[in-house]
Amino acid sequence: MKNNKYTPVIGLEIHVELKTKSKMFCQCDADYFGKEPNTNTCPVCLGLPGALPVPNRKAIEWTIKIGQALNCTINKSSKFDRKHYFYSDLPKAYQISQYDQPIAVNGELRIDNYELENSKKYRITRVHLEEDTGKLTHSGVDSLVDFNRSSVPLVEIVTEPDFDNSEDVKKFLEELHTIIKYLDLSDANMEEGSMRIEPNISLSIITDKKERMKNLPKYKVEVKNINSFNFAKRAIDFELKRQAKILDDGKTPDQETRGYDEDKGITYSQRSKEDAMDYRYFPEPDIPTITFTEKQIEEIRKTIPELPRQKMQRYIDDYKLKSDDAFILTRSVETASYFEKVISNLIKNESDLNIGKQSIEQAVANVIVNKRIPTSGTVKKFIKAFKVMFKKITVDFTELDKVIAAVISNNPKQIEQYKAGKAGILGFFIGQIMKEMKGQAEPQEVKKKLEEKF
Amino acid sequence: MDLFGKTVTQLRDLIKNKKVSSTEVWDYFAKRSKKYNKDLNVFLAMPEMEPDAEKGELSGIPLAVKDNFCTKGVKTTASSHVLENFIPPYESTVTLKLKKAGSRLLGKTNMDAWAHGSSTETSDFGPTKNPWDTMRTPGGSSGGSTAAVAAYLAPAAIGSETAGSIRQPASWCGVVGLKPTYGRVSRYGVIAMGSSFDCPGPITQSVEDAALLLQRITGKDPYDATSSDVPVPNYTFEMKKKRKFTIGVPKEYMKDLDPEVEKKVREAISEFEKMGHTVKEVSLLDPKYSISVYTILQRAEVSSNLGRYDGVRFGTNRDIFGKEAKKRIMLGTYALSVGYYDAYYKKAQQIKTLIIKDLKRVFSEVDLIMAAPTPTTAIKLGEFEKYAFFGETMDKLNEAAAVAGTPAISIPCGLDSNGLPVGLQIMGNYFDEGTILSAAHQFEKETNFFDVIKIGREKYRD
Amino acid sequence: MPKTSDLTKKDILHIAKLANLPILEENIEAYRKQLSETVSYIENMSELDTKGVEPTSHSTNMTNVFFEDGTKNKRLLSQDEATSNAKLTKKGKFAVKRLMG
């Protein structure tokens, strides 16, 4: 979107469902998928009178982990708060969430686009832990509620409004998604709802970034119901256009929540945020405060695996990979781990292979990135195919000379072309010769011989 | 065998020694309860006898339980029309522990609806009458439970206290009522009123029974994150110790009392002196601040806890809430709303810190604090409307312990000139129920003030 | 402390809306009066100096109470149990008359 009058101001609110075994405040299964309605509840997550919440330790540790992966400060003292609103899918009429003492604050995430030096930095305001609601569906004149999902642990990640275009948002979401998959604590699947994104979008007339951040627009529009990163980009682009038009008319867009319609590619008004929701937060009396020692926080940090950016840097530094190859390899933890397994197995047999000037790591990277051998099979299968592909060639020179002579004599026209100056025709000869030799020759060698002959 | 007036301890011994069967004991109380319930309106539900109970300390003894404890398969209403058809699919920890100890559920007792009140008159199912004088209220909100014990419809009962809801009705019904330390007894399954105040506790005829029942219901519960892991002592053992204590009497708590209440309470305290305990005057923060703190915090929690009653998974619609409930929900909502949180809720939490400090200071000088549990004796039905802040006035002497979470007991210490029971309140330090029970037990054994209980139930002897 | 001993009718309506409580027009004045009375009583809190005093949320001073992920669920309700107290269900789900807007 090219509109030089306005600069987009976009912040993100991302929710990630943790794949703990148990729910956030009770022992029901956190994996609710595919279960018959209301067969995965207990008095606690159903909000029955008299039921009480007890927090899941692992969910808290995993939230710390996400905070650390996003370079946040972990609050040594944290608590849960009640966030009140009425909706049929919220059984207690309050969600146990975190208000003013979240688990993690003030982080940042750097997004690379192949070139690590040209990374952009986005600030993470906070990372906190809360419980999910039940699922509300509509059937005719009724709304139907299933509480199987109620109280599944949900991590909320909030960014500062540091984005000024939708493409960056998409890249950010992809990186965040990759990090979460590396941490292996959520399926982070947008279609399945284990990762949700709500951008907050407005337009500013201030061009200087510092000034703009100090004087944010007086309104913002929240967009919900976005089911993929692509849709996020489209929804944002639509919104920016829509808001620009309103501003051009001299008006201010309403502060509201809008839904995204992916079929029509538009956002539509859902509920007015004018009466800013009064959530009446107060500290959850049923749950004592949570404190962490420096040591505990460090112990958790130690369990964080090498993250995508670190890994990418290591591939470039240690394996001398091209940055775009390193980038592609690290996009999924499965691919990176596959790559690492392959090279650790091959390194022993390096000398047997004909990979030219590149290192084993570079060769394998190249093969994977260009999909020359599929990674869907086992590492063993890949290595076998790789060895075949780069088999050292034993050249029968007498045979070679015979073939060269034969190919030359059979193609007089092409010889004329070469003599006439078409140097490229050499490729034709090399091709023919390689064919005759069934690949059992070195193309560079053949080229040299041909040049000698001519 | 005449069972009339036997304590739980005595009944248990009779059953264990095969002098009477647990079924006979059940029939005895079930018959009495059905007979007198019409007049007294103590029970809201009386289930069938559970046949297999009785293995355990409590040998099949029937107990009355306040209707805010979720009892699986037995209607639980908190005395509100909103829950008039609610049958919990699960059991509260307290009633489960009692079941496991071999007791039987005699019936669910009437209470102020949602525990909002000090007279059991806000019940949607009619008030409970005070067995001492059926024109009067038994107090509240555990009025049904205290009346059950006072009229000997049950040998003991379980109640709950947020601020005064065990102590005050216990004093108005002339029975023993103990509010344990907050967190000493699990709240899991108790319909929440004030989450940071609610304490389940025993209501009994004797201190011995209170120790016995307390033992059965205490302990850390993995289902209640606020339940304490402080080790549970042997309360009967602690109770039997004949230690001499230093007792503090707060001068701020001896103001504005009904003169007859003051007289009886002072007499009781001087008995302790005669027994060899040391009594001294102490000073505590004026109870009026506790009232404000408690009012704000409790109503904020109430407004939050009652949000779930939306008629979807259980209960009726929200318009069915009674006036008192609506009032409290609104005040609580107001105190938490944007712009008022700091001024009300946060300020109250800060004063709570001061109240706790204040009590701790006094407990560093004395072992126990004694006072009246409530400024008056039982008032007439309908009279509460005369008092501005009725509940608050009745409960003001209970609110410091409620806010701080310290334990306290009310025991009978005499009668006023209308023949109505007067109670003595004994407050203890955190988790020091043992000291409270010891002092109460000494009073019970060495004076005849407990004969009060016998007088009260005489007209219900068959 | 805000001088709010006198709540207005508008305040009452706003509070009732926030609390999702239907109240009848004829009762608004009674609620307004009662709430105003209570609010003016509790204003005595301002008599105590709480500068620098930490608010207490939990009187028991406990911290870090958790359960271990994967602990066996002993409280699972069947669909029947979970829906046993509902006025209206449809195919195992709780049914509510559809909310407009």
Side-chain angles (χ1 to χ4, degrees):
Chain A
M1 191 203 92
K2 291 253 181 261
N3 185 327
N4 297 314
K5 241 198 291 181
Y6 309 115
T7 310
V9 176
I10 306 164
L12 304 176
E13 199 178 286
I14 301 130
H15 284 94
V16 169
E17 245 178 30
L18 294 180
K19 56 178 196 184
T20 47
K21 289 210 190 76
S22 315
K23 287 185 176 180
M24 185 63 231
F25 296 112
C26 64
Q27 293 78 42
C28 290
D29 283 345
D31 181 11
Y32 56 91
F33 191 74
K35 295 196 169 143
E36 281 299 299
N38 295 305
T39 56
N40 188 41
T41 71
C42 73
V44 182
C45 54
L46 201 56
L48 292 186
L52 297 172
V54 180
N56 179 330
R57 183 201 300 274
K58 189 161 243 156
I60 292 169
E61 289 174 352
W62 282 9
T63 308
I64 293 175
K65 227 169 160 173
I66 293 177
Q68 290 169 327
L70 296 176
N71 303 296
C72 294
T73 304
I74 305 301
N75 274 329
K76 290 233 180 54
S77 175
S78 185
K79 64 176 166 68
F80 287 102
D81 300 284
R82 293 188 183 180
K83 178 182 182 181
H84 301 84
Y85 63 93
F86 289 94
Y87 206 60
S88 305
D89 66 4
L90 192 64
K92 300 186 291 295
Y94 57 85
Q95 177 194 38
I96 300 178
S97 176
Q98 296 194 289
Y99 182 50
D100 56 331
Q101 270 181 266
I103 287 173
V105 291
N106 297 336
E108 68 173 33
L109 185 56
R110 288 180 180 274
I111 302 302
D112 313 299
N113 184 8
Y114 294 9
E115 304 302 320
L116 286 168
E117 309 87 61
N118 291 339
S119 64
K120 290 190 185 181
K121 187 182 82 167
Y122 301 98
R123 296 170 294 165
I124 306 288
T125 317
R126 54 188 278 148
V127 177
H128 77 242
L129 183 55
E130 56 188 28
E131 55 178 346
D132 209 343
T133 63
K135 258 213 183 108
L136 188 71
T137 50
H138 301 292
S139 165
V141 295
D142 295 326
S143 292
L144 302 177
V145 197
D146 171 14
F147 291 98
N148 284 348
R149 188 184 72 179
S150 167
S151 213
V152 165
L154 214 56
V155 170
E156 180 172 316
I157 300 164
V158 181
T159 76
E160 293 291 333
D162 287 349
F163 299 89
D164 61 19
N165 71 81
S166 60
E167 183 58 34
D168 282 353
V169 167
K170 182 158 174 268
K171 290 218 172 67
F172 177 93
L173 292 174
E174 285 166 347
E175 180 75 13
L176 180 63
H177 177 266
T178 305
I179 290 174
I180 301 216
K181 295 291 283 187
Y182 266 61
L183 292 173
D184 195 23
L185 17 93
S186 170
D187 291 336
N189 185 318
M190 292 280 287
E191 278 99 39
E192 287 175 3
S194 46
M195 180 166 174
R196 302 167 209 166
I197 151 83
E198 278 156 29
N200 280 294
I201 305 158
S202 40
L203 286 171
S204 170
I205 52 171
I206 303 172
T207 43
D208 175 62
K209 181 153 194 202
K210 258 208 183 123
E211 278 309 304
R212 190 166 67 243
M213 288 297 123
K214 274 201 264 172
N215 295 297
L216 294 170
K218 300 268 190 292
Y219 75 96
K220 64 182 177 195
V221 175
E222 185 186 44
V223 180
K224 284 176 137 68
N225 196 36
I226 292 171
N227 293 321
S228 78
F229 302 148
N230 272 321
F231 288 145
K233 184 169 189 298
R234 288 189 214 163
I236 292 170
D237 288 339
F238 176 86
E239 251 316 282
L240 294 172
K241 274 211 197 83
R242 185 189 75 87
Q243 291 183 15
K245 235 188 248 148
I246 296 172
L247 289 166
D248 282 344
D249 285 344
K251 303 202 185 81
T252 308
D254 287 335
Q255 169 118 331
E256 58 174 342
T257 298
R258 297 175 72 86
Y260 180 65
D261 183 326
E262 60 196 48
D263 298 320
K264 297 196 186 125
I266 62 164
T267 64
Y268 56 92
S269 193
Q270 272 193 336
R271 83 168 167 258
S272 178
K273 239 181 169 176
E274 270 178 72
D275 287 334
M277 282 283 253
D278 184 354
Y279 292 117
R280 287 157 282 133
Y281 286 101
F282 76 96
E284 172 56 82
D286 291 333
I287 302 175
T289 52
I290 308 165
T291 56
F292 316 109
T293 61
E294 198 61 65
K295 187 159 175 258
Q296 286 168 323
I297 295 174
E298 269 320 294
E299 288 302 307
I300 294 172
R301 187 189 299 279
K302 287 194 192 137
T303 65
I304 296 178
E306 186 181 42
L307 293 177
R309 201 166 193 271
Q310 274 174 284
K311 205 182 271 290
M312 187 174 149
Q313 188 72 62
R314 181 167 65 84
Y315 285 3
I316 293 170
D317 294 342
D318 294 358
Y319 303 148
K320 308 283 184 271
L321 296 192
K322 286 186 289 179
S323 51
D324 42 344
D325 280 357
F327 183 80
I328 291 168
L329 285 174
T330 54
R331 286 313 85 198
S332 102
V333 68
E334 288 86 16
T335 308
S337 132
Y338 195 93
F339 168 72
E340 287 169 14
K341 283 205 188 87
V342 168
I343 61 177
S344 76
N345 270 291
L346 275 176
I347 293 289
K348 315 163 194 158
N349 307 314
E350 222 178 296
S351 53
D352 293 351
L353 298 169
N354 182 19
I355 50 175
K357 289 215 178 79
Q358 37 177 8
S359 64
I360 272 287
E361 294 88 354
Q362 287 167 330
V364 174
N366 189 285
V367 166
I368 292 178
V369 165
N370 294 301
K371 300 196 165 81
R372 292 171 63 195
I373 298 174
T375 52
S376 48
T378 60
V379 167
K380 235 185 176 162
K381 232 177 160 183
F382 182 99
I383 289 174
K384 204 167 168 203
F386 187 86
K387 284 188 177 163
V388 167
M389 184 179 275
F390 290 99
K391 191 170 165 198
K392 262 233 162 85
I393 298 157
T394 40
V395 187
D396 179 353
F397 284 106
T398 23
E399 186 61 33
L400 179 62
D401 286 336
K402 264 204 215 143
V403 168
I404 290 177
V407 168
I408 288 175
S409 58
N410 287 337
N411 297 285
K413 231 203 230 146
Q414 284 77 2
I415 297 178
E416 289 308 315
Q417 286 177 344
Y418 182 76
K419 288 205 172 132
K422 196 171 182 190
I425 205 76
L426 224 47
F428 165 77
F429 282 104
I430 296 173
Q432 290 293 306
I433 292 162
M434 292 300 291
K435 204 161 128 208
E436 289 302 315
M437 292 296 291
K438 290 198 178 57
Q440 292 303 302
E442 268 291 325
Q444 293 295 358
E445 270 284 318
V446 172
K447 188 169 182 230
K448 247 207 302 195
K449 285 195 179 257
L450 284 169
E451 281 165 349
E452 280 166 15
K453 273 245 146 95
F454 291 140
Chain B
M1 149 109 11
D2 183 17
L3 297 176
F4 190 75
K6 298 269 183 282
T7 64
V8 170
T9 308
Q10 290 167 331
L11 289 168
R12 177 202 61 184
D13 290 342
L14 287 171
I15 294 170
K16 282 214 157 86
N17 295 327
K18 301 223 189 334
K19 298 277 167 63
V20 72
S21 76
S22 74
T23 313
E24 283 174 80
V25 172
W26 171 273
D27 288 340
Y28 178 80
F29 286 103
K31 202 161 129 222
R32 291 181 56 73
S33 295
K34 290 202 172 79
K35 175 175 177 185
Y36 292 107
N37 204 42
K38 263 188 268 92
D39 291 328
L40 297 177
N41 196 29
V42 161
F43 290 108
L44 298 178
M46 297 189 61
E48 294 300 306
M49 181 185 94
E50 294 140 4
D52 298 325
E54 91 177 53
K55 285 191 183 34
E57 182 77 49
L58 296 175
S59 307
I61 289 173
L63 297 173
V65 173
K66 188 173 178 183
D67 206 24
N68 59 351
F69 285 79
C70 283
T71 42
K72 185 172 177 177
V74 178
K75 196 147 59 91
T76 299
T77 68
S79 286
S80 170
H81 281 310
V82 171
L83 285 180
E84 65 190 359
N85 292 313
F86 179 62
I87 300 180
Y90 80 106
E91 191 83 31
S92 75
T93 295
V94 164
T95 52
L96 185 63
K97 280 182 184 240
L98 289 170
K99 251 190 185 166
K100 287 206 173 130
S103 73
R104 288 185 163 118
L105 177 64
L106 179 64
K108 304 300 289 298
T109 60
N110 198 16
M111 49 186 280
D112 280 294
W114 307 105
H116 298 166
S118 306
S119 64
T120 313
E121 287 172 286
T122 64
S123 166
D124 282 350
F125 304 112
T128 297
K129 315 283 174 54
N130 191 323
W132 289 78
D133 175 349
T134 54
M135 300 292 284
R136 294 178 187 267
T137 93
S141 61
S142 308
S145 284
T146 53
V149 177
Y152 203 63
L153 304 189
I158 297 294
S160 74
E161 171 159 339
T162 309
S165 289
I166 288 179
R167 289 173 279 171
Q168 184 251 28
S171 77
W172 284 12
C173 287
V175 296
V176 177
L178 172 66
K179 175 194 110 56
T181 309
Y182 177 81
R184 181 79 286 186
V185 181
S186 168
R187 290 181 298 120
Y188 181 71
V190 181
I191 297 180
M193 186 224 191
S195 312
S196 52
F197 306 99
D198 295 341
C199 294
I203 291 163
T204 59
Q205 307 170 68
S206 70
V207 180
E208 190 177 38
D209 279 1
L212 182 69
L213 285 186
L214 184 66
Q215 198 79 51
R216 300 271 70 79
I217 62 176
T218 45
K220 179 150 179 75
D221 183 9
Y223 295 154
D224 176 355
T226 59
S227 72
S228 172
D229 56 5
V230 165
V232 178
N234 182 322
Y235 290 119
T236 307
F237 181 72
E238 293 301 311
M239 176 196 80
K240 289 192 171 142
K241 285 187 184 168
K242 284 223 171 83
R243 291 147 55 208
K244 296 301 166 212
F245 304 116
T246 304
I247 296 162
V249 180
K251 56 183 194 283
E252 295 82 0
Y253 281 53
M254 298 309 269
K255 301 186 301 182
D256 304 322
L257 298 177
D258 181 305
E260 294 200 58
V261 168
E262 185 180 346
K263 180 160 173 273
K264 287 288 167 209
V265 167
R266 285 198 189 277
E267 277 172 14
I269 294 173
S270 66
E271 281 302 317
F272 277 94
E273 252 179 325
K274 289 190 199 138
M275 284 192 267
H277 303 277
T278 311
V279 175
K280 59 187 255 199
E281 191 183 71
V282 295
S283 179
L284 276 178
L285 217 66
D286 192 313
K288 71 177 178 185
Y289 299 117
S290 298
I291 294 177
S292 298
V293 167
Y294 172 73
T295 301
I296 283 295
L297 296 178
Q298 178 248 75
R299 279 150 174 75
E301 290 174 4
V302 161
S303 72
S304 175
N305 287 327
L306 264 43
R308 68 188 65 193
Y309 300 95
D310 59 3
V312 177
R313 290 144 292 134
F314 45 81
T316 60
N317 296 326
R318 290 173 78 70
D319 53 328
I320 305 285
F321 273 118
K323 285 222 181 85
E324 184 62 33
K326 282 191 177 161
K327 234 174 48 181
R328 294 190 186 209
I329 292 171
M330 286 202 282
L331 186 75
T333 303
Y334 175 66
L336 290 174
S337 61
V338 164
Y340 297 105
Y341 178 88
D342 278 1
Y344 297 126
Y345 191 85
K346 185 164 172 218
K347 179 86 179 177
Q349 295 278 48
Q350 287 173 306
I351 298 178
K352 181 170 166 180
T353 305
L354 297 179
I355 292 170
I356 292 173
K357 265 205 182 114
D358 194 44
L359 268 175
K360 281 187 172 162
R361 172 187 59 79
V362 171
F363 279 122
S364 67
E365 300 166 18
V366 305
D367 300 306
L368 299 166
I369 295 171
M370 290 190 189
T374 187
T376 71
T377 53
I379 61 171
K380 287 207 157 74
L381 289 163
E383 219 173 57
F384 74 92
E385 284 169 6
K386 276 205 238 141
Y387 297 79
F389 305 131
F390 167 70
E392 289 71 18
T393 312
M394 289 304 128
D395 294 331
K396 77 174 181 175
L397 304 174
N398 304 132
E399 271 156 15
V403 166
T406 46
I409 201 172
S410 176
I411 56 176
C413 67
L415 299 174
D416 72 0
S417 55
N418 286 324
L420 296 169
V422 180
L424 169 71
Q425 176 180 196
I426 306 175
M427 300 194 268
N429 207 344
Y430 291 99
F431 299 105
D432 204 11
E433 286 85 353
T435 302
I436 294 174
L437 290 165
S438 170
H441 188 61
Q442 289 178 49
F443 186 80
E444 182 181 41
K445 289 296 163 223
E446 288 165 42
T447 69
N448 57 2
F449 289 130
F450 266 53
D451 288 346
V452 161
I453 292 182
K454 297 184 186 150
I455 296 169
R457 63 181 170 228
E458 205 43 48
K459 58 164 137 343
Y460 300 94
R461 183 192 284 273
D462 284 329
Chain C
M1 194 145 298
K3 201 81 190 116
T4 52
S5 348
D6 269 28
L7 294 166
T8 64
K9 177 174 173 178
K10 193 159 163 247
D11 290 329
I12 299 299
L13 288 171
H14 174 69
I15 293 168
K17 184 157 172 248
L18 268 185
N20 196 17
L21 269 188
I23 52 173
L24 299 170
E25 176 75 32
E26 62 248 33
N27 292 329
I28 294 177
E29 179 54 26
Y31 285 126
R32 193 199 67 75
K33 248 181 102 210
Q34 285 163 348
L35 255 60
S36 301
E37 270 171 13
T38 306
V39 169
S40 50
Y41 183 95
I42 58 130
E43 269 163 16
N44 69 10
M45 289 200 295
S46 59
E47 292 167 23
L48 293 176
D49 181 12
T50 51
K51 202 152 30 136
V53 178
E54 275 305 299
T56 298
S57 252
H58 298 99
S59 60
T60 60
N61 286 326
M62 297 183 69
T63 57
N64 297 341
V65 181
F66 309 121
F67 78 90
E68 301 308 318
D69 188 47
T71 301
K72 179 158 185 233
N73 188 9
K74 296 190 188 150
R75 299 182 282 181
L76 181 67
L77 297 172
S78 67
Q79 193 187 77
D80 279 341
E81 287 173 317
T83 57
S84 57
N85 286 290
K87 277 186 290 191
L88 207 61
T89 59
K90 219 177 186 180
K91 293 196 195 144
K93 295 187 186 179
F94 296 95
V96 196
K97 281 291 159 258
R98 186 141 177 194
L99 317 151
M100 299 307 293

